[in-house]
Amino acid sequence: MKKTKVLCFTDDAIGRDVEMLLPLRYFAERFLNCEFYHALNIEIHQIYRIKPDVILQANTIGSNLYFEISRIAHKQNIPLFALISEGNFRTDGSFDYWGFNRDKKFYQDYVCCWSERTASFLKEKEPQEAGRIVVTGGVGFDRYVIYKFLDRKEFLRNYNKEGFEKIIGYAGWAFGKLDHPRGRDELLFWAKGDESKLNWIEKQRCLVRDILREAIEKNPDTLFVLKQHPQENAPERPVPVKNEMSELTGYNNVLYLCAEESIHDLISVADLWTCFESTTALESWLMSKQTIFINPDPNFNRDELYKGSPLVKSYKEFQSMISEFYDSGKIESFGAHEKSKNRNELIKNIIGFGDGFNHIRASKYFAQTVSNSQFSIRHTNSHRLARAARLAEDRKTRQEAGGGQVLNSQFHFWHWLVFILIRIAAPFYNRKVYSKIYKAKKHLWVFENYRMEKLNKLYAKYVPYFDEFYKAHNIEKKFLDRRLF
């Protein structure tokens, strides 16, 4: 059979969205006769250049680019499979599950929810789409079960910190958004427009900073690995981020890291993982790490992850738990029955499953989308016919409204132009020079990643881990016997 061409869009060559989609790629290449092409989501012209049979992306609502890709796939009659990047959303009505999707239509074949909790919510809100709303689990979390991570000795050697035997990790919050216009707008959205909350955020930043500082000073034999929140930076931001960690970089027992290391590697090398508020706590649990939340004021609008960890409000409480951990190897309050029960419930309610099989659950539905592509045996099934009917209806609507065909032509030209400009400018790329050019400085990430070299290197690293995991769980035999799904 001719291979099914899958065009996979991500917002970067590394990071969360990439980690979600590479497990699907492995399964699809091994069992579904697929050939993968990767592109940044700004390069929408790749749809017309590659002419894929299937489009795969991490979400359809997280950015305008992802939404436009989903709409073009629909107009071009290309089957689309998408996951959900932020699958741990609130089901109290406060979360806008359409995001950047202005049409408020699901253009993907399936709406892949992380948990039964979120799936039930969407089915209630969109009952006409209930048949397409499925539970796959959080695919990006499989890596904490499947992969092998950075060796601790190698990590210390890489940063000339071999003298440390104790490591405590801290995952940053988005405090650094405070001193940037776009970031302040995002924090105001989080605060539901209450500007007084910005003062509260600044106060918390200083309190957390001071707790960390005192712990760093009083534990000189312990290496504190401080990880910046990935969404604090903005491409147009000319100055370094000021957050709860940035003022602590001068200490010998501090490593302040931004994008240098993957979060899973940092959790792996740490003895103990801490944060103000972060989903990395759940990731730590999957890797059997104990966690502490540093919350000077714990009463704020937040997810329920904090219920699975002990909370400290001061340096004194923080130091007490650090000492307890290194004296006995455990934190008693972390291991309490109620906390343990909460963690199990949180894993279920947030990511569905923590067993490493979420990408296989998603692949069950991805296989259906592949089977709906033009080179599939079942290319004339009801899904394809229904999609063609929807496409015809949309074209009719645009023609009746006037200018529909012109819009499509303009859209195609604009994204062709972006594609060409990237390839004209890329050979002359110099970060120092381009960072001073008004339009170019917002797109440095494009010039540095459009070849997707980092992604391909990452995938090559992960393949042996999948090979071992699949062998250990007899996945191939179960697939061939039709028992896997």
Side-chain angles (χ1 to χ4, degrees):
M1 290 177 59
K2 188 172 182 178
K3 287 185 178 292
T4 298
K5 290 197 293 185
V6 180
L7 176 55
C8 182
F9 284 105
T10 51
D11 59 355
D12 206 337
I14 57 174
R16 178 192 63 183
D17 288 0
V18 171
E19 297 290 354
M20 292 168 58
L21 297 180
L22 290 185
L24 283 179
R25 173 179 170 178
Y26 179 87
F27 187 95
E29 285 183 338
R30 182 161 177 175
F31 297 125
L32 304 181
N33 196 40
C34 291
E35 181 179 13
F36 272 68
Y37 300 81
H38 289 275
L40 296 176
N41 56 12
I42 197 172
E43 294 206 278
I44 298 178
H45 178 69
Q46 296 281 22
I47 296 174
Y48 305 98
R49 193 180 74 87
I50 293 174
K51 297 180 175 61
D53 305 310
V54 174
I55 290 176
L56 172 65
Q57 57 189 50
N59 68 76
T60 60
I61 66 169
S63 70
N64 193 54
L65 290 170
Y66 275 141
F67 167 62
E68 291 296 344
I69 292 169
S70 70
R71 188 158 61 173
I72 290 173
H74 176 72
K75 291 176 181 178
Q76 297 292 325
N77 201 24
I78 303 172
L80 170 69
F81 188 84
L83 298 172
I84 296 181
S85 296
E86 297 285 354
N88 178 30
F89 58 82
R90 300 186 183 185
T91 54
D92 59 2
S94 62
F95 176 76
D96 179 12
Y97 54 85
W98 290 115
F100 282 85
N101 185 335
R102 300 183 299 276
D103 296 348
K104 296 189 175 181
K105 295 180 180 178
F106 294 125
Y107 289 129
Q108 65 267 46
D109 278 9
Y110 295 96
V111 181
C112 298
C113 296
W114 287 9
S115 66
E116 290 286 355
R117 174 181 63 86
T118 53
S120 297
F121 170 77
L122 287 181
K123 287 178 181 179
E124 181 181 342
K125 290 294 183 180
E126 305 295 332
Q128 73 282 4
E129 301 288 0
R132 291 199 286 154
I133 298 172
V134 298
V135 177
T136 62
V139 174
F141 294 90
D142 283 359
R143 67 186 187 272
Y144 297 104
V145 177
I146 298 174
Y147 300 167
K148 291 181 173 62
F149 300 108
L150 186 63
D151 178 74
R152 183 185 177 107
K153 290 183 179 179
E154 180 184 349
F155 171 78
L156 292 170
R157 186 168 56 250
N158 290 344
Y159 293 95
N160 297 316
K161 299 292 184 181
E162 296 99 320
F164 291 97
E165 295 183 359
K166 302 176 183 177
I167 302 177
I168 294 177
Y170 173 85
W173 199 68
F175 291 109
K177 291 184 176 184
L178 271 175
D179 60 351
H180 186 268
R182 190 204 302 182
R184 287 177 71 88
D185 289 342
E186 291 171 356
L187 289 175
L188 269 176
F189 180 80
W190 171 83
K192 299 181 180 179
D194 183 358
E195 292 202 11
S196 68
K197 283 292 185 182
L198 298 183
N199 294 327
W200 178 89
I201 291 171
E202 172 61 13
K203 182 180 179 181
Q204 299 306 303
R205 182 189 76 81
C206 294
L207 289 171
V208 174
R209 176 201 62 195
D210 292 344
I211 291 172
L212 288 172
R213 174 182 283 136
E214 194 162 2
I216 289 165
E217 292 176 348
K218 297 292 177 61
N219 297 272
D221 63 336
T222 302
L223 180 64
F224 286 79
V225 178
L226 312 179
K227 180 71 164 68
Q228 182 190 348
H229 191 284
Q231 294 180 5
E232 280 184 325
N233 284 325
E236 67 274 24
R237 187 173 193 157
V239 295
V241 171
K242 182 180 180 181
N243 55 32
E244 74 273 40
M245 303 166 286
S246 56
E247 298 169 83
L248 308 175
T249 59
Y251 292 94
N252 180 59
N253 60 328
V254 167
L255 267 181
Y256 177 47
L257 302 175
C258 300
E260 296 89 343
E261 303 287 352
S262 298
I263 190 66
H264 49 245
D265 283 326
L266 298 183
I267 295 172
S268 177
V269 301
D271 303 316
L272 186 63
W273 194 255
T274 65
C275 64
F276 173 76
E277 171 85 355
S278 175
T279 56
T280 60
L282 184 146
E283 295 161 14
S284 301
W285 303 337
L286 295 177
M287 297 174 69
S288 301
K289 300 287 183 174
Q290 298 180 56
T291 54
I292 299 172
F293 276 60
I294 303 174
N295 293 149
D297 179 5
N299 299 313
F300 62 96
N301 184 27
R302 64 201 326 208
D303 290 325
E304 295 188 335
L305 274 172
Y306 72 94
K307 294 183 177 180
S309 299
L311 275 62
V312 298
K313 299 179 183 179
S314 65
Y315 158 71
K316 185 177 180 180
E317 293 177 348
F318 189 34
Q319 182 61 58
S320 176
M321 289 195 184
I322 291 174
S323 300
E324 180 186 4
F325 176 79
Y326 282 113
D327 287 343
S328 66
K330 62 181 181 179
I331 300 171
E332 187 175 346
S333 57
F334 178 86
H337 174 73
E338 188 66 23
K339 293 291 185 187
S340 179
K341 179 182 176 183
N342 288 343
R343 288 193 293 274
N344 290 332
E345 284 298 313
L346 286 164
I347 289 172
K348 177 182 176 182
N349 290 332
I350 293 173
I351 65 169
F353 312 88
D355 55 8
F357 291 97
N358 290 331
H359 73 285
I360 293 179
R361 295 181 179 94
S363 293
K364 170 183 177 179
Y365 301 104
F366 183 59
Q368 292 296 317
T369 295
V370 168
S371 76
N372 296 337
S373 68
Q374 67 184 65
F375 291 114
S376 167
I377 296 173
R378 299 192 296 272
H379 66 281
T380 58
N381 69 12
S382 59
H383 288 276
R384 292 283 293 170
L385 294 174
R387 184 183 289 106
R390 291 197 301 270
L391 176 62
E393 183 180 349
D394 282 357
R395 284 174 176 164
K396 181 180 179 182
T397 301
R398 291 199 305 274
Q399 289 170 356
E400 289 174 352
Q405 296 301 319
V406 175
L407 176 63
N408 195 37
S409 175
Q410 289 177 338
F411 191 82
H412 182 281
F413 173 77
W414 171 248
H415 288 96
W416 170 83
L417 183 62
V418 170
F419 177 85
I420 294 299
L421 288 175
I422 290 171
R423 278 146 187 81
I424 291 174
F428 307 99
Y429 174 69
N430 180 289
R431 186 178 181 87
K432 186 175 181 180
V433 174
Y434 278 41
S435 63
K436 297 178 181 178
I437 303 173
Y438 173 64
K439 287 291 185 182
K441 69 180 182 181
K442 295 184 179 181
H443 297 92
L444 300 181
W445 60 279
V446 177
F447 298 114
E448 293 172 354
N449 294 298
Y450 78 99
R451 294 183 184 278
M452 306 304 272
E453 293 170 344
K454 294 178 183 176
L455 182 149
N456 291 322
K457 183 179 179 180
L458 201 61
Y459 184 63
K461 174 184 175 182
Y462 290 162
V463 165
Y465 303 152
F466 283 111
D467 288 342
E468 186 175 335
F469 183 78
Y470 276 46
K471 182 178 180 180
H473 294 279
N474 210 13
I475 302 299
E476 183 169 357
K477 187 175 190 304
K478 291 177 182 177
F479 178 80
L480 296 175
D481 291 347
R482 300 182 183 273
R483 294 184 292 117
L484 182 62
F485 296 145

